[in-house]
Amino acid sequence: MEHIQKKAAEIASFFLNSLSRFDKVYIVSHKDTDGITACALLYLTLTRFKKVETKIIPQIYLKTLDELKKEIGDNLVVFSDLGSSFCREISEKFRYYIILDHHPVKNCKENVLNPHLFGYNGAYDLSGAGAAYFFCKNLYPGIKKYSYLAIVGAIGDKQNDPFQNLNLEIIKEGKGIFERYGKNIFIENVEDDLRDGEYFSSLVNACGTLNKADLGLQVCIQNKEAIKEAKKIFEQYDEELNTALKHFLGNKDKIIEENKERSVYFIVSDMKRSLTGPLSTLLIKVFNDKPVIVISKRNNLKISARGTKKLVSQGLHLGEALKTAVSRKGEGGGHDIASGAVYNGKIEEFMEKVDFEIKKQFKKRFLIEGEIIINYEDEETAASTAEAVNVDNEKTLKATLIESYNNKNEFITLIKSENIGTFKNVIDDMLVCIKSSEIMKE
């Protein structure tokens, strides 16, 4: 913990030493509970030094950065609960920047506070609001009375089952602020209706989901009128969510049947794009033996994916799977246990790609792996070859995994083994089987 606090202090010093170089601070944050609570902590702190403008957005894309640059110019921009996957692009476009995030990092250098850089897991140990809190403590000691926002952010990102590591340190630090009851937490110095951490988190999330992020910010700083309005919004949001949830639970057997050959439960409809995230969070509690990916078909594909800690322990990393699957036709990424994406291609194409990526992840426990890939003239030949070869795969050795399938006109066999000798023998046998299958078709 000492190292991440030292880094937070260094970034705070950069902020103070740079004050004379810009006129305004822009806070760019994510539109969920974690992002809004992070933004609130930063707003409460940074307005003590400069004029501040907040921007709550669904996600960062390259186009988003270009648009922000035009508006921000050479002023300081603070990214909270997002930005880590665009460190290089941000450093190239913005003269003064700070990134306070907990998502997996890529090409990150100075002015970045992220638990992954200090050996922690941002999916469980610290939220974006937590990173913002560590930074703000160095600039405004009074922010400690708002430490509950860091924990509400953590609850929003499902980091309370149980609270651990850096999140737990924030709770311990806030003596007199928190009361713990199992995985939930109650907050002392807030409006009565917001004492329940789970409800507080849900209220803020509803504001963000229904494009009322500014209202969510006012809820965070205890504006009574904002809390009343947010309750009405939450009732509407909760009704829409429950209607969608009942629909999918009523079709549980159909969903299981449709996805029985896949590594994922795909749940697809024309639902509101804003519902994919909360639905995936609820549905993984029901369909918990495989990851759940909820897809809205409105406009381009809006995708939200959720897993479990058990699935992660078996090799699952949804952020990496989605990022690979949507490459060239979209944007995506996130944590091992939860991630999201948008995709501009066909839904069948996306489902094939992500299913393929997740199948690969679940087999990484094998030490040696390889692929046999053969391009046939048509999809039918590739499919029949995979079917024929799979019959021979049924009696494979325990220490070896073989899976044959087709991706359109491409025949693919995955071979993974714990033993190099077995691996070599299996490859030789597979090539013979494939050749035999081809001869039989002639």
Side-chain angles (χ1 to χ4, degrees), residues 245-256:
L245 181 63
K246 287 177 182 177
H247 168 75
F248 291 120
L249 293 180
N251 288 277
K252 180 180 177 181
D253 292 342
K254 182 181 178 183
I255 291 169
I256 292 172

Side-chain angles (χ1 to χ4, degrees), residues 255-301:
I255 291 169
I256 292 172
E257 178 64 25
E258 288 176 345
N259 292 284
K260 66 180 180 181
E261 301 299 327
R262 296 170 174 151
S263 61
V264 176
Y265 289 112
F266 289 107
I267 297 172
V268 184
S269 81
D270 290 317
M271 73 187 82
K272 283 187 175 180
R273 294 164 66 85
S274 59
L275 292 178
T276 61
L279 274 173
S280 62
T281 299
L282 293 171
L283 289 169
I284 190 62
K285 297 176 183 178
V286 179
F287 303 94
N288 57 14
D289 59 314
K290 296 192 288 191
V292 167
I293 297 183
V294 178
I295 305 172
S296 168
K297 296 190 293 183
R298 290 193 181 188
N299 301 322
N300 56 358
L301 302 182

Side-chain angles (χ1 to χ4, degrees), residues 27 35-45 143 149 216-217 220-221:
I27 302 169
I36 294 172
T37 50
C39 186
L41 285 164
L42 290 164
Y43 184 84
L44 288 165
T45 300
I143 201 66
L149 291 174
L217 283 174
C220 289
I221 59 177

Side-chain angles (χ1 to χ4, degrees), residues 105-363:
V105 294
K106 181 181 177 184
N107 300 321
C108 286
K109 297 180 182 178
E110 65 277 351
N111 299 339
V112 179
L113 188 66
N114 189 306
H116 288 280
L117 297 173
F118 301 92
Y120 296 100
N121 189 328
Y124 313 107
D125 298 332
L126 189 73
S127 66
Y133 176 68
F134 279 139
F135 166 73
C136 291
K137 280 199 303 178
N138 293 279
L139 297 171
Y140 171 39
I143 201 66
K144 289 183 179 180
K145 68 182 178 183
Y146 295 99
S147 61
Y148 62 82
L149 291 174
I151 297 306
V152 171
I155 292 171
D157 270 17
K158 310 303 174 188
Q159 295 185 356
N160 56 327
D161 191 19
F163 291 108
Q164 61 189 46
N165 291 323
L166 298 172
N167 282 323
L168 204 54
E169 292 301 320
I170 295 172
I171 293 172
K172 290 177 181 176
E173 188 178 275
K175 287 183 180 179
I177 296 177
F178 303 110
E179 290 181 22
R180 292 181 66 191
Y181 293 90
K183 70 176 185 177
N184 197 10
I185 202 157
F186 283 77
I187 306 160
E188 291 300 313
N189 59 341
V190 296
E191 291 293 317
D192 286 346
D193 292 339
L194 301 182
R195 289 195 67 234
D196 183 324
E198 293 271 11
Y199 180 70
F200 194 154
S201 172
S202 297
L203 207 63
V204 175
N205 190 60
C207 292
T209 300
L210 298 179
N211 298 315
K212 298 281 187 179
D214 288 340
L215 182 65
L217 283 174
Q218 291 299 312
V219 171
C220 289
I221 59 177
Q222 305 298 298
N223 180 308
K224 292 184 179 181
E225 290 303 314
I227 293 170
K228 288 180 183 178
E229 187 177 347
K231 284 182 179 179
K232 295 177 183 177
I233 287 175
F234 177 71
E235 289 175 5
Q236 173 195 341
Y237 162 82
D238 199 41
E239 184 178 342
E240 291 178 355
L241 184 59
N242 283 329
T243 299
L245 181 63
K246 287 177 182 177
H247 168 75
F248 291 120
L249 293 180
N251 288 277
K252 180 180 177 181
D253 292 342
K254 182 181 178 183
I255 291 169
I256 292 172
E257 178 64 25
E258 288 176 345
N259 292 284
K260 66 180 180 181
E261 301 299 327
R262 296 170 174 151
S263 61
V264 176
Y265 289 112
F266 289 107
I267 297 172
V268 184
S269 81
D270 290 317
M271 73 187 82
K272 283 187 175 180
R273 294 164 66 85
S274 59
L275 292 178
T276 61
L279 274 173
S280 62
T281 299
L282 293 171
L283 289 169
I284 190 62
K285 297 176 183 178
V286 179
F287 303 94
N288 57 14
D289 59 314
K290 296 192 288 191
V292 167
I293 297 183
V294 178
I295 305 172
S296 168
K297 296 190 293 183
R298 290 193 181 188
N299 301 322
N300 56 358
L301 302 182
K302 168 69 165 54
I303 301 150
S304 295
R306 299 291 184 270
T308 64
K309 288 184 179 179
K310 181 178 179 181
L311 293 172
V312 169
S313 72
Q314 295 170 359
L316 178 69
H317 196 302
L318 288 168
E320 292 179 359
L322 262 63
K323 186 173 184 178
T324 302
V326 303
S327 62
R328 298 188 184 88
K329 290 189 178 181
E331 300 275 359
H335 300 293
D336 49 14
I337 200 167
S339 65
V342 292
Y343 190 66
N344 298 311
K346 295 180 179 179
I347 190 167
E348 296 81 6
E349 180 182 58
F350 166 76
M351 290 167 67
E352 285 179 9
K353 286 181 177 180
V354 78
D355 186 37
F356 175 70
E357 292 302 322
I358 290 175
K359 280 179 178 174
K360 286 201 298 183
Q361 288 180 351
F362 280 139
K363 281 95 182 204

